[in-house]
Amino acid sequence: MNSEHYQVVIVGAGLVGVAAALALGRQGLRVALIERQAPALPDDAWDTRIYAISPASQRFLERLGAWQRMDAGRIQPVFRMDVAGDTSGMVRLDAYQAGVSHLAAIIESGRLQHALWQAIEADGNVALHCPATVESLAGRGAFTRLTLTDGKVLEADLIVGADGAASRIREWAGLASTLTPYGQSGVVANFECGRPHRGTAFQWFFEGDIMAWLPLPGNRMSMVWSTGTEHADEWVAQEATTLAEKIQAAGHDRLGALHLLTPAAAFPLRLIRVEAAVAPGVALIGDAAHGVHPLAGQGVNLGFGDAEVLAEVLAQHRRASCGDLRVLQAYARQRAEPVQRMQALTHGLHHLFADERAAWLRNAGMSVIDRLPPLKAALVREAMS
């Protein structure tokens, strides 16, 4: 049977998978991307799934030619973030005080996905197999053979698993993972606001829950409420007016009267730790390689960091096979520290605010941080990286 040989085959074309394919293709590597379905053309409706893109990720997307394809009218910079504890604690992070243009940019998932897809189609350096799925994988000496459901056969020096938290590539490669449920769900919904947000994001910690309001263009905001699964189901079942009133009250009326723009939805929250992100001929990126609590909004940024570093490492080792374990371990070492740091931070904060006995400590700590500009500047730099 005839087969096509590639240096890299990426399985899964979510945001991180497409970004990785673009970055690797621009390094002159022979790359293929396998995806079930191309993203739909966005309509005028507001997407309930949004991301806080760090300035570092934004620069990466600009270099890939994707950011420029976004509708600027659907991008909202975050200039300030107000974080409140469950009693008196409060921290304000301000871009102007930190000497930066903005802390993050809020964008809709569907629009960024479409922009990345447009960029990869225009780029022409990546072989797109879409719609397509992998029927079977088999190791064969120095490369892996992938048989697609349409009968095509691909051979690759390196398989990149960008296929999400339930990664089939991770399972096939025997890369062990530990999934820790938080017993919580994230409730998401978008609202029209009675008062302007002026590019401010809000976050509240209370009674083990975390609620964030992220600014959208115009007088709109996107809410993410991390709460117990049963409580989340109750929120999703609420009538639109009642839900808006309760969210308005929970946010201390910071943005005036709220009007629901999109139905509320919920998704389970969990921590995913992977013992090793690489094996001979295999590398994991994005949610296939790690999962973090969404309270810091850094999951997609970690994934873009994976894609960028993997492309850089493979470019630095052009004389070696892309599947060489020594090369892939260089990628894994570079990504281990930022991933572990973010997992430790979000996991620790989750438990700190879930423990009623730690109320005095966490609120006092927030107040101390707010009075230390150098420490706040360091937090801004961390969030932007």
Side-chain angles (χ1 to χ4, degrees):
M1 182 180 296
N2 293 330
S3 60
E4 303 172 18
H5 189 88
Y6 297 93
Q7 290 172 284
V8 183
V9 171
I10 299 173
V11 180
L15 296 172
V16 173
V18 179
L22 270 167
L24 290 162
R26 292 194 170 193
Q27 295 291 356
L29 298 171
R30 183 166 166 74
V31 181
L33 180 66
I34 301 171
E35 170 57 10
R36 292 176 180 272
Q37 184 177 355
L41 181 68
D43 55 25
D44 289 335
W46 289 89
D47 195 338
T48 53
R49 188 169 189 178
I50 59 94
Y51 293 109
I53 302 298
S54 70
S57 292
Q58 179 178 332
R59 291 190 293 271
F60 176 53
L61 294 168
E62 288 171 349
R63 291 194 296 273
L64 297 180
W67 192 265
Q68 300 88 320
R69 296 176 182 274
M70 294 280 293
D71 179 355
R74 301 290 286 243
I75 301 173
Q76 174 61 56
V78 177
F79 302 113
R80 191 175 73 182
M81 185 168 187
D82 286 349
V83 183
D86 41 8
T87 56
S88 59
M90 178 180 171
V91 176
R92 172 169 290 174
L93 303 178
D94 189 281
Y96 177 77
Q97 291 179 354
V100 297
S101 62
H102 62 289
L103 302 177
I106 307 300
I107 59 174
E108 299 158 86
S109 174
R111 289 181 175 272
L112 179 54
Q113 182 74 60
H114 186 256
L116 278 162
W117 198 259
Q118 284 184 308
I120 204 167
E121 288 183 324
D123 190 76
N125 291 321
V126 177
L128 297 175
H129 294 269
C130 177
T133 56
V134 177
E135 184 175 90
S136 64
L137 300 102
R140 185 178 174 184
F143 57 86
T144 301
R145 171 167 286 194
L146 302 91
T147 302
L148 308 186
T149 49
D150 61 7
K152 291 181 180 177
V153 177
L154 311 182
E155 294 176 347
D157 300 327
L158 172 64
I159 303 293
V160 175
D163 50 344
S167 172
R168 182 182 174 190
I169 299 301
R170 186 179 67 216
E171 181 181 358
W172 171 76
L175 295 171
S177 63
T178 302
L179 188 152
T180 304
Y182 282 111
Q184 289 188 322
S185 293
V187 180
V188 295
N190 296 336
F191 296 87
E192 190 88 38
C193 309
R195 291 197 293 267
H197 51 64
R198 296 185 174 86
T200 300
F202 301 92
Q203 191 168 47
W204 292 270
F205 292 83
F206 41 76
E207 298 177 357
D209 287 8
I210 305 165
M211 183 175 70
W213 290 1
L214 303 175
L216 295 173
N219 285 354
R220 304 177 185 91
M221 69 87 174
S222 179
M223 178 209 70
V224 183
W225 189 319
S226 302
T227 186
T229 301
E230 291 184 5
H231 193 205
D233 293 340
E234 293 174 7
W235 281 120
V236 172
Q238 292 282 350
E239 188 270 332
T241 302
T242 302
L243 177 64
E245 290 174 349
K246 289 188 174 182
I247 297 302
Q248 178 183 342
H252 308 288
D253 200 30
R254 292 296 297 265
L255 295 178
L258 301 180
H259 172 72
L260 188 67
L261 291 175
T262 58
F267 55 92
L269 304 183
R270 53 204 180 183
L271 172 71
I272 299 175
R273 287 193 172 102
V274 178
E275 291 184 14
V278 299
V282 178
L284 304 178
I285 61 175
D287 290 347
H290 42 69
V292 298
H293 194 289
L295 67 87
Q298 292 297 308
V300 72
N301 293 312
L302 285 176
F304 286 140
D306 296 342
E308 186 172 17
V309 170
L310 181 62
E312 291 172 351
V313 168
L314 294 184
Q316 292 165 3
H317 297 83
R318 291 185 185 277
R319 294 184 179 180
S321 166
C322 292
D324 188 316
L325 183 58
R326 291 169 297 180
V327 175
L328 298 178
Q329 285 174 337
Y331 153 73
R333 283 194 298 271
Q334 288 193 43
R335 295 306 297 154
E337 195 273 336
V339 168
Q340 291 171 3
R341 186 174 68 236
M342 186 55 62
Q343 286 183 329
L345 173 64
T346 56
H347 194 63
L349 285 174
H350 164 75
H351 285 290
L352 177 63
F353 281 90
D355 189 346
E356 295 181 1
R357 297 169 298 177
W360 176 85
L361 175 63
R362 60 188 177 238
N363 286 281
M366 293 176 74
S367 298
V368 169
I369 291 172
D370 197 53
R371 292 194 295 269
L372 295 174
L375 183 54
K376 289 203 292 183
L379 289 174
V380 170
R381 288 193 299 272
E382 175 68 21
M384 294 178 67
S385 63

